[in-house]
Amino acid sequence: QSWSRGMSYCLHSESHLDTGPIYVRENGKLHVVNQGAGGIQDVTPKTRPFRLFSRSFSVELCMNREDDRARTQRTDHFIFTYTKEGNLRYSAKSLFSLVLGYISDNVDHIDSLIGFPEQIAEKLFSAAEARQKFTEPVTGLRALQKFTEAYGSLVLCSLCLRNRYLVISEKLEEIKSFRELTCLDLSCCKLGDEHELLEHLTKEALSSVKQLLLKDNSLSDAGLRRMTAPVRVLKKGLENLLVLDLSCNPKITDVGIGYLLSFKKLNCLDISGTGLKDVDAVIKRIQKQIGLVHSKVPLKEFDHSNCKTEGWAEQTVLQWEQAVMEAIKPQDNLRSRTAALRFYGKTRRIEEVVTCTVVEAETKASGNLQFYKEKVPNCHLPLKKEVAGSHELKNNRKRALAEQERERTSKQKHLCLTVEDWDLLNTY
């Protein structure tokens, strides 16, 4: 009884609020509090639905409440579609999509991605790429380095920067962050011997490069000496190089070609349009020391169609190029000034894409100097062969083996060291 009076008092004190009926369960039975009499009576729950909130009740989803500029209603967490009747229908995005978007917005704050699943990392990279996070000067470089450190060739395995020397100058640090590249095309970029990117080619991060195209880059013997120094001295750097294009570099002479002989794994070499003095001697030297044969016809390895930008960052490189082209596009307010300079005989320098048409014409006129490695002939004999021919082949092989054995024994005789020679070797 005292409990009911207390409840009644509480209800009367807040009678201005429409709280609705209050149900109390006691001893396994459901009771309702009678607000009018202040007592409790047994009732049977009604089956009609009960409205939990009033008709004017509404809920507002607010994100980033601490930011005053974010008080406006956000709609990027919903997907808007239309029904067949033409009505607007929206559904909330999945939690994975919301988290992916949030991390991509703050991708520069990631500490490390090493050990993170590749499938999720690719989606994260695409989300950040769609937001153009990698085009930002400082934060984009930091984010790109986290991806390249963890995934290497998946981010980019082949990079084509042909005629894109402006992209190289603007995004040099980002380009240097790529690891485990297998193909790199820097043709027609006029880099010269002292460029920082050429020095980066000798680092261990690019030891995986197998195809390197340096056509028309104003290289000389000094540049080749620096580029091949790690291979010649430390057996590091571009030791896995298979295809090398040095055409249209007229400052490269016979001395510079000597530095290339350290690339023992080369399969294709193009030195057309270089400043060679004794071409025949160079051809014989290349064939003797690294086993490359002079090709009479142009090789397909040097048509620059095999090297394309491939990897997660393919669209990122395109975004860099578009940003550079937008930056150098002449503005409307500068046209009058340009016209005035032309009137007074002065020309305004405008960066344009470098073309190799003139140099290529000179190369064709001077001759083709492309080399390739012959395939090892098949040692299996054809099925249809006469018996007499097979016997003759066996005899020839026996003679060749006998001659090799005689040469080997003669060399051993000449290589026999005297006592004085052994004493000299032991002093080292």
Side-chain angles (χ1 to χ4, degrees), residues 84-103:
K84 295 180 179 180
E85 294 78 11
N87 299 325
L88 182 63
R89 179 178 62 186
Y90 65 92
S91 58
K93 292 183 179 180
S94 63
L95 182 60
F96 176 79
S97 300
L98 297 178
V99 174
L100 193 67
Y102 178 79
I103 298 177

Side-chain angles (χ1 to χ4, degrees), residues 57-108:
F57 183 83
S58 63
V59 178
E60 179 183 1
L61 178 62
C62 298
M63 304 294 293
N64 299 331
R65 176 58 74 179
E66 66 275 3
D67 191 0
D68 296 336
R69 295 174 298 178
R71 292 185 181 275
T72 59
Q73 186 178 3
R74 296 188 58 173
T75 60
D76 56 346
H77 298 297
F78 301 94
I79 302 175
F80 293 90
T81 57
Y82 287 92
T83 61
K84 295 180 179 180
E85 294 78 11
N87 299 325
L88 182 63
R89 179 178 62 186
Y90 65 92
S91 58
K93 292 183 179 180
S94 63
L95 182 60
F96 176 79
S97 300
L98 297 178
V99 174
L100 193 67
Y102 178 79
I103 298 177
S104 60
D105 288 333
N106 302 275
V107 68
D108 56 302

Side-chain angles (χ1 to χ4, degrees), residues 109-121:
H109 296 290
I110 296 177
D111 292 333
S112 177
L113 287 169
I114 298 177
F116 198 68
E118 298 174 359
Q119 295 82 358
I120 308 300

Side-chain angles (χ1 to χ4, degrees), residues 41-323:
Q41 60 182 9
D42 298 337
V43 295
T44 302
K46 298 180 180 179
T47 57
R48 66 181 183 85
F50 173 70
R51 183 180 295 276
L52 183 61
F53 302 104
S54 61
R55 295 181 179 274
S56 60
F57 183 83
S58 63
V59 178
E60 179 183 1
L61 178 62
C62 298
M63 304 294 293
N64 299 331
R65 176 58 74 179
E66 66 275 3
D67 191 0
D68 296 336
R69 295 174 298 178
R71 292 185 181 275
T72 59
Q73 186 178 3
R74 296 188 58 173
T75 60
D76 56 346
H77 298 297
F78 301 94
I79 302 175
F80 293 90
T81 57
Y82 287 92
T83 61
K84 295 180 179 180
E85 294 78 11
N87 299 325
L88 182 63
R89 179 178 62 186
Y90 65 92
S91 58
K93 292 183 179 180
S94 63
L95 182 60
F96 176 79
S97 300
L98 297 178
V99 174
L100 193 67
Y102 178 79
I103 298 177
S104 60
D105 288 333
N106 302 275
V107 68
D108 56 302
H109 296 290
I110 296 177
D111 292 333
S112 177
L113 287 169
I114 298 177
F116 198 68
E118 298 174 359
Q119 295 82 358
I120 308 300
E122 184 178 1
K123 294 181 179 180
L124 179 60
F125 190 94
S126 300
E129 190 178 55
R131 290 167 169 79
Q132 297 188 355
K133 286 294 181 179
F134 301 114
T135 59
E136 299 176 0
V138 180
T139 59
L141 173 61
R142 188 185 304 117
L144 190 62
Q145 288 175 345
K146 300 300 179 182
F147 280 96
T148 55
E149 288 175 0
Y151 305 103
S153 60
L154 292 178
V155 179
L156 211 64
C157 62
S158 179
L159 179 59
C160 180
L161 295 174
R162 180 181 172 92
N163 291 331
R164 293 178 176 88
Y165 68 99
L166 290 178
V167 178
I168 295 176
S169 61
E170 292 293 330
K171 298 294 180 180
L172 179 60
E173 295 300 324
E174 285 81 355
I175 295 172
K176 290 169 60 177
S177 66
F178 293 124
R179 297 168 177 261
E180 300 180 12
L181 288 174
T182 57
C183 181
L184 182 59
D185 190 352
L186 300 174
S187 303
C188 306
C189 290
K190 303 291 185 181
L191 299 180
D193 296 330
E194 304 294 332
H195 200 275
E196 189 176 351
L197 184 56
L198 292 179
E199 182 181 356
H200 179 67
L201 291 177
T202 61
K203 305 296 182 181
E204 293 186 3
L206 292 181
S207 60
S208 59
V209 173
K210 296 181 179 179
Q211 185 175 0
L212 181 60
L213 307 179
L214 295 173
K215 178 179 182 179
D216 190 16
N217 270 285
S218 303
L219 297 177
S220 65
D221 297 340
L224 295 184
R225 181 179 58 191
R226 294 178 57 189
M227 190 174 65
T228 59
V231 180
R232 291 184 287 107
V233 179
L234 303 175
K235 304 299 180 183
K236 296 181 179 179
L238 298 172
E239 56 182 352
N240 298 316
L241 197 62
L242 299 178
V243 179
L244 178 60
D245 185 2
L246 292 173
S247 60
C248 305
N249 290 288
K251 295 182 180 180
I252 296 178
T253 63
D254 304 28
V255 179
I257 300 301
Y259 299 131
L260 303 179
L261 302 179
S262 57
F263 296 134
K264 301 298 182 181
K265 296 182 180 180
L266 270 183
N267 290 336
C268 297
L269 175 64
D270 190 359
I271 53 175
S272 306
T274 54
L276 301 180
K277 297 180 180 179
D278 193 348
V279 178
D280 295 335
V282 171
I283 293 176
K284 293 179 181 179
R285 189 179 181 187
I286 292 175
Q287 183 173 0
K288 181 179 180 181
Q289 297 195 17
I290 55 179
L292 297 183
V293 182
H294 182 218
S295 176
K296 303 299 182 181
V297 295
L299 301 176
K300 63 179 181 179
E301 284 79 6
F302 301 107
D303 59 358
H304 298 271
S305 61
N306 296 327
C307 185
K308 298 179 182 179
T309 304
E310 297 178 357
W312 295 353
E314 180 179 352
Q315 295 297 324
T316 301
V317 177
L318 293 178
Q319 291 176 0
W320 294 346
E321 185 178 2
Q322 291 175 359

